[in-house]
Amino acid sequence: MHSVTKILPFVCVALAGGCTSSAGGAAPAPSPRVSSATGTFAPYTPGATAITYDPALVPDGAVATLSITETSSDSRVWFTVAGLLPNRTYGVHLHTNPCGATPDAAGPHFQHRHPPATQPNAPSPPGPVSPPQTASPAVTPPETPAAPMKADPSYANPQNEVWLDVTTRADGRGSAVATHPWTFDPAPRSLVIHATATKTADGQAGDAGPRVACLTLPA
Ligand SMILES: [Cu+2]
C-alpha cells in the first residue's frame, strides 16, 4: 500500500499543463517493480524458505518480511522482523544465493560493483603455482581459506551492498530501510541475519559474525 501512495506525487496532471518531457511527450514512466518475501523462521527442512540456524538468537517462530521496490534507476529495500531477542543489534544483508541446509549456502553478499579479482567468470590471476624450492616449511604461510565475506571496504560498504542491520525494541521487533541509486541485476536471492552488527573497518568490512537465520527471496 505504501508503494502506491509513494508514486502518487509523481503522477503529473495533464490538465494543469504541468507535464514536461524532453522526449516530446513520450510514454509515462513505468510503474515501480515490487517484489517481496515473508517467512516464519524454523529449523531447516528440505524446501524451507525461512531457516533459523541458531534458535537461541533467532527463535523458532520469528517472522521476517522483505520488500524491494525498483524504479528504472533506483531501489528501496524495506525489512521488518518480529520475534527476535529484545534490545539487540543484528547484522542483516542481502546475499547472492538461496538459503540451504547450512548457513554457507546463501553465498557472499550481494554487491552492485564487484572487485576485479572476484568478477564472476574472471580468470584466475597469474602467479607462481609452487613455492620456491628453498622455502623452509617453517616459513610457509598457511593456506588461506576462501573468505566468504569481502573485506575490502571500497566494495564491502552499505552503498555497494545492501545492509539492513536492525536493533530490536523491547518487544523483539525491528525494521530497516536501504535505498540505492541502482537496481538489482541479477536479483539477490536471500536475506541473512547475523549474530552481531556489521563491521566497517578495513579487513573486516561486512563481517557481522555467524549467520544465524536466512530468508530465501524469489528469483
Ligand atoms: Cu551477510
Side-chain angles (χ1 to χ4, degrees):
M1 196 165 85
H2 52 279
S3 62
V4 173
T5 57
K6 277 201 63 88
I7 65 172
L8 285 176
F10 300 105
V11 176
C12 65
V13 181
L15 286 174
C19 293
T20 58
S21 170
S22 58
S31 299
R33 300 183 301 281
V34 180
S35 61
S36 60
T38 189
T40 301
F41 292 109
Y44 175 78
T45 55
T49 58
I51 301 153
T52 176
Y53 301 110
D54 186 347
L57 293 181
V58 176
D60 199 341
V63 177
T65 298
L66 188 84
S67 178
I68 300 176
T69 302
E70 293 177 275
T71 69
S72 58
S73 61
D74 56 23
S75 57
R76 176 180 181 274
V77 181
W78 178 66
F79 169 60
T80 184
V81 66
L84 299 184
L85 303 188
N87 306 312
R88 182 187 175 97
T89 299
Y90 294 83
V92 181
H93 322 118
L94 300 189
H95 284 240
T96 59
N97 301 336
C99 312
T102 63
D104 289 348
H109 287 182
F110 176 91
Q111 293 189 322
H112 175 57
R113 290 181 303 109
H114 296 265
T118 62
Q119 284 280 11
N121 306 319
S124 298
V129 295
S130 56
Q133 300 207 351
T134 55
S136 153
V139 298
T140 302
E143 193 76 18
T144 304
M149 295 294 178
K150 307 300 182 295
D152 180 349
S154 63
Y155 291 92
N157 62 65
Q159 288 76 43
N160 192 46
E161 300 183 349
V162 182
W163 296 7
L164 296 156
D165 287 25
V166 291
T167 299
T168 55
R169 301 189 299 262
D171 63 1
R173 293 174 179 265
S175 63
V177 173
T179 59
H180 294 92
W182 41 259
T183 59
F184 294 99
D185 183 24
R189 293 304 316 282
S190 56
L191 170 128
V192 173
I193 301 177
H194 294 254
T196 61
T198 306
K199 301 183 179 98
T200 56
D202 196 358
Q204 52 181 213
D207 177 39
R211 304 177 181 197
V212 293
C214 185
L215 174 66
T216 294
L217 307 179

